[in-house]
């Protein structure tokens, strides 16, 4: 049987990093120069089950190599744009067609298929990159007062269409600036971080804690979802993530000791005690909200 797979024809896979500013640079999963094709057994199975012939696989139909261009201008009033420019600095606003499309898409197959054909189903009117929690407070408060739809973008690995701004609006990106490691508490065995810190950066701080944080021990966060390299700690909590080692360390909901959210009604902050017998518990109500209840700006998690 293996000889049969070996003799099967395989297409010339596309192995070129996506051009900057292209549709492909948005939907390609993982590192720009990393590639992983179906192995011969899987390819043979696909050919047999789907009745594919060489002509079906010899020439890629859609690669999404076109530069992103938007025909429709943003619908956000210019007065709103001026407010955000003054509050955050013009360098922390994204108004180009590429940014408006990039931060309006996650990694569902539905979104990928549209982008492969150089299509756009939705785009934000404006992308904002807050520098601090106070910036988030300004953004949330203003959008609430002005009735502007607001979306939260962490690492971009969402698979539930949660980034799609159908009515337009503003997309808030946490990974750009809100990505600091705040504190390691060895007595409680917890770590406090900003929500936009990426998985590898978080784990590196813990693994290298003696040299980077002057700790006694090295640690691990214990959370390794499939999207680990390309997702944020805040995203793990917002999506109630699980990982390959969750049966040992627990999933994201088991790891959270405290959270801080910015909401239209004010800032909600719980305290990072290692254990408590008080109730009702607010943390479980907020976790898994996918941004519905507010913007998660920091969290305290158990470490091991």
């Amino acid at each position: 049987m293996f000889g049969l797979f070996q003799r099967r024809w395989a297409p010339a896979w596309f192995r070129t990093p996506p051009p900057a500013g292209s549709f492909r640079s948005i939907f390609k999963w993982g590192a720009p120069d990393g590639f992983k094709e179906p192995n011969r057994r899987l390819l043979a199975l696909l050919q047999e089950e789907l009745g594919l012939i060489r002509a079906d696989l010899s020439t890629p139909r859609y690669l999404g190599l076109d530069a992103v261009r938007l025909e429709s201008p943003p619908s956000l009033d210019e007065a709103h744009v001026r407010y955000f420019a003054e509050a955050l600095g013009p360098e922390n606003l994204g108004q180009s067609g590429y940014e408006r499309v990039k931060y309006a898409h996650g990694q569902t197959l539905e979104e990928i298929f549209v982008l492969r054909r150089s299509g756009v189903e939705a785009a934000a009117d404006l992308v904002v990159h807050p520098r601090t929690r106070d910036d988030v407070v300004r953004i949330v408060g203003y959008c609430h007062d002005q009735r502007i739809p607001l979306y939260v973008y962490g690492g971009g690995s969402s698979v539930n269409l949660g980034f799609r701004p159908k009515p337009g609006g503003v997309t808030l990106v946490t990974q750009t600036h809100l990505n600091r490691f705040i504190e390691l508490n060895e007595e409680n065995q917890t770590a406090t971080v900003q929500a936009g810190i990426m998985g590898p950066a978080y784990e590196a701080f813990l693994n290298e804690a003696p040299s980077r944080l002057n700790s006694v021990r090295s640690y691990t966060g214990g959370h390794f979802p499939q999207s680990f390299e390309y997702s944020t700690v805040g995203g793990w909590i917002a999506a109630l993530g699980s990982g390959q080692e969750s049966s040992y360390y627990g999933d994201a909901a088991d790891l959270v000791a405290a959270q801080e959210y910015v909401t239209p009604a004010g800032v909600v902050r719980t305290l990072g005690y290692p254990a408590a017998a008080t109730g009702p518990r607010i943390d479980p109500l907020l976790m898994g909200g996918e941004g519905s209840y507010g913007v998660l700006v920091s969290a305290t998690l158990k470490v091991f």
Side-chain angles (χ1 to χ4, degrees):
M1 183 64 72
F2 182 73
L4 173 63
F5 292 128
Q6 287 289 83
R7 291 194 300 273
R8 288 295 181 106
W9 171 84
W13 302 108
F14 186 79
R15 281 182 155 268
T16 303
S22 67
F23 286 94
R24 190 174 186 84
S25 70
I26 295 174
F27 69 78
K28 183 187 180 304
W29 177 251
D33 56 352
F35 304 92
K36 185 176 182 180
E37 295 85 25
N39 61 40
R40 288 186 177 276
R41 290 175 180 268
L42 177 56
L43 181 61
L45 178 65
L46 292 172
Q47 289 177 262
E48 290 172 4
E49 294 297 321
L50 300 179
L52 300 176
I53 61 176
R54 287 198 181 191
D56 296 319
L57 299 171
S58 59
T59 303
R61 297 182 181 179
Y62 307 103
L63 289 173
L65 300 177
D66 297 335
V68 174
R69 290 186 177 85
L70 278 180
E71 300 296 333
S72 58
S75 59
L76 199 64
D77 190 278
E78 190 59 34
H80 300 320
V81 177
R82 286 197 301 270
Y83 171 83
F84 289 116
E86 293 172 2
L88 308 176
E91 69 278 8
N92 289 308
L93 268 58
Q95 302 182 72
S96 68
Y98 177 78
E99 282 195 83
R100 290 171 55 210
V101 173
K102 172 181 170 63
Y103 294 112
H105 291 82
Q107 292 293 332
T108 66
L109 286 177
E110 179 180 336
E111 292 168 302
I112 290 172
F113 287 150
V114 171
L115 292 170
R116 279 179 69 93
R117 291 167 171 79
S118 301
V120 176
E121 287 196 345
D125 289 320
L126 183 68
V127 179
V128 294
H129 302 267
R131 303 157 297 181
T132 63
R133 187 196 71 170
D134 289 343
D135 280 351
V136 178
V137 171
R138 294 186 188 97
I139 295 166
V140 171
Y142 187 82
C143 287
H144 176 68
D145 292 340
Q146 301 297 322
R147 313 304 295 168
I148 300 171
L150 181 63
Y151 306 84
V152 186
Y153 186 104
S157 61
S158 171
V159 289
N160 64 4
L161 303 178
F163 299 141
R164 182 178 288 180
K166 276 293 186 182
V170 172
T171 295
L172 183 158
V173 182
T174 62
Q175 65 167 279
T176 311
H177 301 300
L178 298 177
N179 53 23
R180 291 177 50 241
F181 191 104
I182 299 172
E183 180 188 26
L184 174 65
N185 186 322
E186 288 200 273
E187 184 175 1
N188 288 352
Q189 283 196 220
T190 59
T192 302
V193 297
Q194 290 182 319
I197 191 169
M198 302 295 286
Y202 175 59
E203 187 67 13
F205 267 106
L206 296 173
N207 294 170
E208 302 163 15
S211 60
R212 300 178 71 168
L213 304 171
N214 198 31
S215 68
V216 175
R217 301 187 184 97
S218 296
Y219 293 87
T220 180
H223 193 68
F224 302 100
Q226 287 182 313
S227 61
F228 172 75
E229 295 92 338
Y230 309 105
S231 56
T232 63
V233 171
W236 301 345
I237 298 168
L240 284 184
S242 289
Q244 284 86 339
E245 299 180 35
S246 293
S247 59
Y248 186 83
Y249 293 106
D251 60 23
D254 299 315
L255 301 177
V256 173
Q259 304 170 90
E260 185 175 22
Y261 287 83
V262 175
T263 80
V267 176
V268 177
R269 182 170 66 92
T270 60
L271 302 179
Y273 299 121
T278 57
R281 302 296 298 274
I282 297 174
D283 283 306
L285 296 176
L286 296 173
M287 289 186 288
E290 300 274 1
S292 298
Y293 305 127
V295 180
L296 178 63
V297 290
S298 66
T300 299
L301 300 95
K302 302 174 187 176
V303 296
F304 306 87

